[in-house]
Amino acid sequence: MKRLIAIALLAASLGGCQAAKVISAASGFSVTQQQLDSAENFYDGTALVTLSTYANWPRCASGTKISVTNRCHDPAILKKLRNADNAVETAFIRVQNQITSGNSSGAVAAWDALQTALGAMNTIIAQNSLGGI
Amino acid sequence: MDAATILADVQLALTIGEAAYKLGMQAGPFLVEAYQIAFQQKVLTADERAEMQAKEAQMRAAIDAAISADDALDKS
């Protein structure tokens, strides 16, 4: 399941990065409400749902690790992931605010910050070897 | 391969399948929505956006509750 989390987060990040490249490459192009809504739904369906499922599993007993037959969460890792998710949530709100106020350049900058926040989450996954099951 | 090993493998497969099914049931609606917005020109209404954000808040509340429970256990 940890691998699933890693894949989901990786997919969310890669999807976002591709979108960011398009935005950066196209002169005068700005982030639209539809792009934001699609990205947020994609993030919810991959990262947030998986994180929520992970959190709902019981805490791993001392000295044990998550496995296919031992579905549990590591409190320290869960906290790190929630903090990273909090940064992503804030970044989504900033993009929304820029779109709402009609600030195209601000929306693109906020979108870039969103990619950074997603990247930070991926780093936590990699540092904790969550893809190793 | 003996019967006990086969049974254990089947039970493992069922466990994985169940987890994947439950995750898919939760993730599916979000991914369908993302696809429809991105590729079928669907536009979210204010109500639909509010509903999405309410679901996000619900999931984050569940995560925060688990973290609080962990913290309480660590302090006890």
Side-chain angles (χ1 to χ4, degrees), chain B residues 15 22 35 53 63 74:
Chain B
T15 301
K22 285 181 177 175
Y35 176 83
Q53 288 164 350
I63 297 165
D74 288 337

Side-chain angles (χ1 to χ4, degrees), chain A residues 68-91:
Chain A
V68 173
T69 53
N70 181 33
R71 282 181 279 177
C72 62
H73 74 257
D74 180 310
I77 293 173
L78 179 61
K79 201 173 276 188
K80 284 181 186 175
L81 287 171
R82 177 62 180 100
N83 288 337
D85 169 63
N86 190 45
V88 172
E89 179 186 13
T90 303

Side-chain angles (χ1 to χ4, degrees), chain A residues 52-124:
Chain A
S52 170
T53 300
Y54 180 64
N56 282 330
W57 289 341
R59 178 185 170 123
C60 291
S62 182
T64 67
K65 285 186 174 180
I66 185 174
S67 69
V68 173
T69 53
N70 181 33
R71 282 181 279 177
C72 62
H73 74 257
D74 180 310
I77 293 173
L78 179 61
K79 201 173 276 188
K80 284 181 186 175
L81 287 171
R82 177 62 180 100
N83 288 337
D85 169 63
N86 190 45
V88 172
E89 179 186 13
T90 303
F92 268 121
I93 291 169
R94 284 185 181 147
V95 177
Q96 180 63 72
N97 289 342
Q98 295 299 324
I99 290 174
T100 303
S101 63
N103 185 348
S104 295
S105 60
V108 173
W111 186 267
D112 284 342
L114 175 60
Q115 306 312 312
T116 304
L118 287 167
M121 193 173 255
N122 271 331
T123 301
I124 295 169

Side-chain angles (χ1 to χ4, degrees), chain A residues 15-73:
Chain A
C17 286
Q18 285 174 339
K21 281 176 188 167
V22 172
I23 289 165
S24 301
S27 176
F29 194 85
S30 61
V31 183
T32 67
Q33 183 67 57
Q34 275 181 293
Q35 287 171 319
L36 177 63
D37 287 340
S38 182
E40 195 163 343
N41 266 291
F42 187 69
Y43 176 80
D44 291 348
T46 52
L48 194 53
V49 163
T50 312
L51 185 55
S52 170
T53 300
Y54 180 64
N56 282 330
W57 289 341
R59 178 185 170 123
C60 291
S62 182
T64 67
K65 285 186 174 180
I66 185 174
S67 69
V68 173
T69 53
N70 181 33
R71 282 181 279 177
C72 62
H73 74 257

